[in-house]
Amino acid sequence: MSRQSKTKHGGSVEEPENKDLVGIGDIAPDFQLCDDEGKTYKLSSFRGRRVILSFQRYAACPICQFNIDRMKYQSEMLDRAGIVTISIFNSKPQHVTMFTAKIRGDSMIALSDKKGSTY
């Protein structure tokens, strides 16, 4: 089921109805994804810690790269506060490396979700 939403330019966009949305402070459903080096991460392995999940479109997307560059500085501060920052890309692992390795910093975990199963 979906609903129609009006855009600011007078058009309309079909939005899927998602009953599985996760709110701030909710426990997100577990998932398992790999980083660009093949290391597997499960969200449940961070249970008990504060985690920020950031969902990005494609690793090559200039806007996503800009977001990652901005998040790099925040993730370093958050890491010092004990908060884990995980960015999930709808891209192949090698593209995550190719397009984000230089801009994401050391404290951010970047995962590949080519199938979009976590979105």
Side-chain angles (χ1 to χ4, degrees):
M1 183 174 274
S2 62
R3 64 185 176 115
Q4 293 288 323
S5 293
K6 296 286 184 188
T7 67
K8 67 180 181 179
H9 301 292
S12 65
V13 176
E14 188 172 323
E15 295 182 11
E17 186 177 314
N18 189 343
K19 297 178 182 178
D20 296 328
L21 291 177
V22 178
I24 295 172
D26 289 349
I27 296 176
D30 199 19
F31 61 79
Q32 180 173 313
L33 297 172
C34 292
D35 68 6
D36 51 346
E37 296 176 354
K39 181 178 178 183
T40 300
Y41 288 86
K42 287 184 75 171
L43 182 60
S44 59
S45 68
F46 297 99
R47 188 135 299 138
R49 298 178 67 187
R50 294 181 293 172
V51 176
I52 294 177
L53 295 175
S54 166
F55 294 88
Q56 305 295 327
R57 188 171 178 198
Y58 300 109
C61 167
I63 295 169
C64 298
Q65 290 180 6
F66 175 77
N67 289 339
I68 294 302
D69 187 55
R70 299 264 327 238
M71 285 181 60
K72 172 176 65 175
Y73 299 105
Q74 295 170 348
S75 72
E76 291 168 356
M77 175 197 63
L78 294 168
D79 187 53
R80 289 191 298 273
I83 301 170
V84 179
T85 306
I86 302 172
S87 289
I88 300 172
F89 293 88
N90 188 227
S91 298
K92 295 178 182 177
Q94 61 268 30
H95 291 158
V96 173
T97 300
M98 185 185 312
F99 294 105
T100 70
K102 292 181 180 178
I103 60 173
R104 70 176 183 246
D106 295 329
S107 58
M108 184 186 305
I109 298 169
L111 302 177
S112 169
D113 183 8
K114 180 61 182 154
K115 294 180 183 177
S117 62
T118 59
Y119 285 76

